[in-house]
Amino acid sequence: MKAKQILSTYVHVLDDGRSVAVPVSDSFWADLARGKHAELNQGRLMTAFTFSQPWPNWERHPAGEELVLLLTGEATLTLQLEDGEKDIVLDTPGAYVLVPPNTWHTAKTKVTTTMLFLTPGAGTDHRPVKAE
């Protein structure tokens, strides 16, 4: 067995307790949005990525809560709740948020930041962030 890198090989955590490595290509997210990975609709997908600018999109996950965990850097996670937007600052490695099901959310940062996500994939939706 050889160690893998979560930034380039995600982990599909299945409901039956098994986990399967998922190789990631440049087209992974576009393919996922087009329904090319229907097998990921069950269980959860563990991913991580590094970014240094605000996300260009909002996303939501109707199938369940999403765990968003800060590994390095700092970011502000914005949730669109019924009573307005709520900003949650993640500025300490290990800080996390459980995003409620079907809640639109996005993230902003000005520094290089790496976050880990444990996401229920079924029905995931995206929309662009409007320019401010």
Side-chain angles (χ1 to χ4, degrees):
M1 184 179 299
K2 178 176 146 183
K4 295 183 173 41
Q5 174 52 257
I6 193 67
L7 294 170
S8 60
T9 304
Y10 298 158
V11 177
H12 184 202
V13 181
L14 301 164
D15 292 333
D16 67 7
R18 294 179 300 128
S19 297
V20 178
V22 178
V24 179
S25 67
D26 290 340
S27 65
F28 177 83
W29 292 105
D31 290 347
L32 186 66
R34 287 192 293 271
K36 290 192 175 184
H37 296 287
E39 72 278 8
L40 300 178
N41 285 341
Q42 301 300 315
R44 297 194 179 244
L45 183 64
M46 184 183 311
T47 64
F49 67 90
T50 300
F51 59 104
S52 56
Q53 298 179 26
W55 293 358
N57 294 307
W58 291 89
E59 65 176 24
R60 67 177 171 179
H61 311 285
E65 289 180 324
E66 177 181 35
L67 169 71
V68 178
L69 173 77
L70 181 69
L71 297 176
T72 65
E74 60 183 56
T76 299
L77 192 68
T78 302
L79 308 180
Q80 278 191 339
L81 303 172
E82 288 183 21
D83 58 346
E85 290 184 2
K86 178 172 179 144
D87 287 338
I88 302 168
V89 176
L90 301 170
D91 59 1
T92 305
Y96 71 91
V97 175
L98 291 174
V99 178
N102 214 33
T103 300
W104 287 104
H105 55 285
T106 191
K108 297 175 191 158
T109 191
K110 294 179 181 177
V111 301
T112 301
T113 298
T114 302
M115 298 175 92
L116 180 100
F117 305 86
L118 187 58
T119 306
T124 292
D125 197 8
H126 294 91
R127 70 172 193 226
V129 170
K130 294 179 183 173
E132 295 180 11

